[in-house]
Amino acid sequence: MNKNINFQELGLRDYKDTWEYQEQLFKEILDQKIRNRREATEVPTKNHFLLVEHPHVYTLGKSGDISHLLINEEQLKQKNATFYKINRGGDITYHGPGQVVGYPILDLENFFSDIHKYLRLLEETIILTLKEYGVEAGRSEGETGVWLDIDTPFARKICAMGVRASRWVTMHGFAFNVNADLGYFDNIIPCGIKGKAVTSLNVELGVKQVSEDEVKQKLKKHFSALFEAELV
């Protein structure tokens, strides 16, 4: 089992370009697994963890409802935003500047064969990072992602998640609002959940800007500890 994870920070990068890059890495891992099975070999499969920021974009998961996008094509252009239907789970979400997006492309058989545990560890990575800023966060039953003030009228989501998995290989991941422009969420019903707000770390801390480099270092630390892996 290979517990090394190749880490890459991609900076600000177009959503479609990044999606295609994910697909490439995902396919390489799947192809190696198929070769190993067919040829009775044990060549280790690779793991990757990408951190990236995207220009304004809305993405709709394969089971999502297009009516949860509340603006038309012309309004998208006016807001300098793009839209894609994609192959992850979940409904509609927004990515944009000020949001740290994480894409773990892992062969889970290098770690554990449990997609539920995988999602919970992704959530825990965010929860532990927020704790370092004095922000108490947790899970909302039946609603993947990370939330604040759960089970109150003030419940709000700070991190959305949606993944795809095939033969225990994962792609897509989490979108953590650090310095996000929350106005862009007004154009969708986030994750298809009506009546619940969205927030960002800088808003919760009452500051204009949180160091995204610092947040990324904390995310990497907790991610590698939870998966008992080494980022290389």
Side-chain angles (χ1 to χ4, degrees):
M1 292 198 299
N2 174 24
K3 287 208 164 192
N4 284 345
I5 300 176
N6 302 314
F7 172 75
Q8 292 180 70
E9 191 166 333
L10 303 180
L12 182 68
R13 185 159 167 169
D14 177 76
Y15 183 84
K16 191 166 185 292
D17 287 350
T18 312
W19 183 16
E20 288 169 354
Y21 183 47
Q22 279 194 81
E23 291 278 13
Q24 176 195 324
L25 298 176
F26 181 80
K27 185 177 184 300
E28 285 171 5
I29 298 170
L30 275 181
D31 288 350
Q32 185 60 62
K33 292 189 80 163
I34 292 165
R35 272 196 303 275
N36 281 346
R37 199 159 296 163
R38 189 175 59 228
E39 299 167 11
T41 53
E42 294 185 6
V43 177
T45 50
K46 292 180 179 177
N47 307 291
H48 304 273
F49 182 34
L50 314 177
L51 285 180
V52 64
E53 206 169 320
H54 294 305
H56 302 297
V57 60
Y58 297 101
T59 68
L60 182 70
K62 57 189 177 186
S63 58
D65 184 341
I66 187 64
S67 71
H68 294 155
L69 176 65
L70 306 177
I71 56 175
N72 60 32
E73 201 169 325
E74 186 56 40
Q75 290 168 313
L76 278 170
K77 284 181 188 170
Q78 289 169 8
K79 294 180 182 299
N80 202 24
T82 51
F83 170 75
Y84 294 101
K85 286 184 182 178
I86 61 171
N87 58 354
R88 60 160 169 78
D91 204 283
I92 196 162
T93 196
Y94 159 78
H95 300 309
Q99 186 186 71
V100 176
V101 180
Y103 296 130
I105 305 157
L106 310 179
D107 179 0
L108 287 184
E109 289 188 310
N110 286 325
F111 304 93
F112 46 78
S113 302
D114 185 336
I115 197 73
H116 179 80
K117 180 177 179 179
Y118 171 67
L119 288 167
R120 301 297 79 79
L121 290 188
L122 286 190
E123 289 166 345
E124 193 65 17
T125 299
I126 308 299
I127 290 166
L128 291 175
T129 298
L130 286 166
K131 198 167 190 176
E132 291 202 56
Y133 290 94
V135 176
E136 286 297 319
R139 300 171 179 86
S140 179
E141 193 175 338
E143 298 171 332
T144 304
V146 178
W147 297 76
L148 310 183
D149 288 336
I150 304 146
D151 298 327
T152 78
F154 310 106
R156 54 209 182 276
K157 185 180 256 190
I158 196 164
C159 181
M161 290 185 184
V163 303
R164 177 190 174 200
S166 177
R167 295 177 187 255
W168 298 112
V169 181
T170 68
M171 65 180 287
H172 299 296
F174 64 80
F176 180 21
N177 298 330
V178 178
N179 299 302
D181 181 346
L182 299 178
Y184 275 82
F185 286 96
D186 294 340
N187 305 315
I188 59 172
I189 299 171
C191 304
I193 302 168
K194 295 180 181 178
K196 287 193 179 175
V198 177
T199 190
S200 185
L201 181 56
N202 65 320
V203 172
E204 295 301 320
L205 297 179
V207 298
K208 189 174 181 183
Q209 195 84 3
V210 176
S211 167
E212 287 171 40
D213 287 339
E214 185 182 82
V215 169
K216 289 171 188 173
Q217 290 307 312
K218 294 180 190 304
L219 286 171
K220 286 166 64 180
K221 175 182 71 177
H222 293 302
F223 182 86
S224 59
L226 288 164
F227 283 87
E228 298 175 354
E230 188 174 348
L231 298 184
V232 294

